[in-house]
Amino acid sequence: MTSRLNPYLSFRDNARDAITFYESVFGGELNISTFGDYQASQDPEEADKVMHAMLVSPHGLTLMASDTPNGMEYNPGNNISVSLSGDSADEAELRGYWDKLVDGGTVTMPLESAPWGDTFGMCVDKFGIAWLVNIAGAQQQ
């Protein structure tokens, strides 16, 4: 897999409705994980919220989405991030991008091992753009 760059949309409690709508528009394969799937929130009200959704269309379009946790600020109009992802073969390249993006910016979540087995981090670059970097872990056979 080569590195990919795609939009990542944030919602407040309606990510599932939005991403299934986009699935009806673009078609493709949709995968949705909730905060409850990964015990990623201590707030029971967030168990069914979308932690991560990814839609990949048959024509190569990729769109990602999630619900913003209750404890995080949500500002409609500022609810898009750029997702940069690849697999372990791309790790050096992706870490290089990360290092450049955080230079003069703010790390909001360090680039480190995530509960789903990948290496993941979030930052805001010096221009105020939010970035998510995901390096896929080794796939189970």
Side-chain angles (χ1 to χ4, degrees):
M1 173 164 90
T2 59
S3 297
R4 291 180 298 182
L5 185 72
N6 57 272
Y8 201 113
L9 306 176
S10 297
F11 297 90
R12 178 68 85 195
D13 303 331
N14 61 347
R16 185 179 301 274
D17 292 339
I19 199 72
T20 54
F21 166 74
Y22 297 131
E23 179 186 27
S24 76
V25 172
F26 299 114
E29 182 178 334
L30 175 60
N31 290 300
I32 297 175
S33 300
T34 66
F35 286 95
D37 291 339
Y38 289 97
Q39 295 79 44
S41 175
Q42 323 237 281
D43 184 347
E45 292 179 14
E46 293 183 341
D48 293 329
K49 286 187 178 189
V50 175
M51 184 179 89
H52 177 71
M54 185 165 103
L55 174 64
V56 179
S57 83
H59 303 293
L61 303 175
T62 301
L63 184 62
M64 296 181 179
S66 67
D67 282 314
T68 304
N70 295 338
M72 292 178 69
E73 186 176 345
Y74 174 75
N75 295 311
N78 295 336
N79 54 336
I80 186 166
S81 301
V82 181
S83 173
L84 185 57
S85 57
D87 61 24
S88 57
D90 305 313
E91 183 168 0
E93 176 185 6
L94 291 165
R95 284 187 180 275
Y97 293 145
W98 171 265
D99 291 341
K100 291 174 184 174
L101 289 166
V102 300
D103 185 23
T106 304
V107 173
T108 54
M109 181 178 288
L111 185 63
E112 59 190 23
S113 182
W116 55 92
D118 295 350
T119 299
F120 178 78
M122 295 174 16
C123 67
V124 177
D125 70 21
K126 62 185 174 185
F127 299 103
I129 303 299
W131 292 84
L132 302 101
V133 176
N134 192 87
I135 304 165
Q139 300 298 313
Q140 302 291 327
Q141 296 287 340

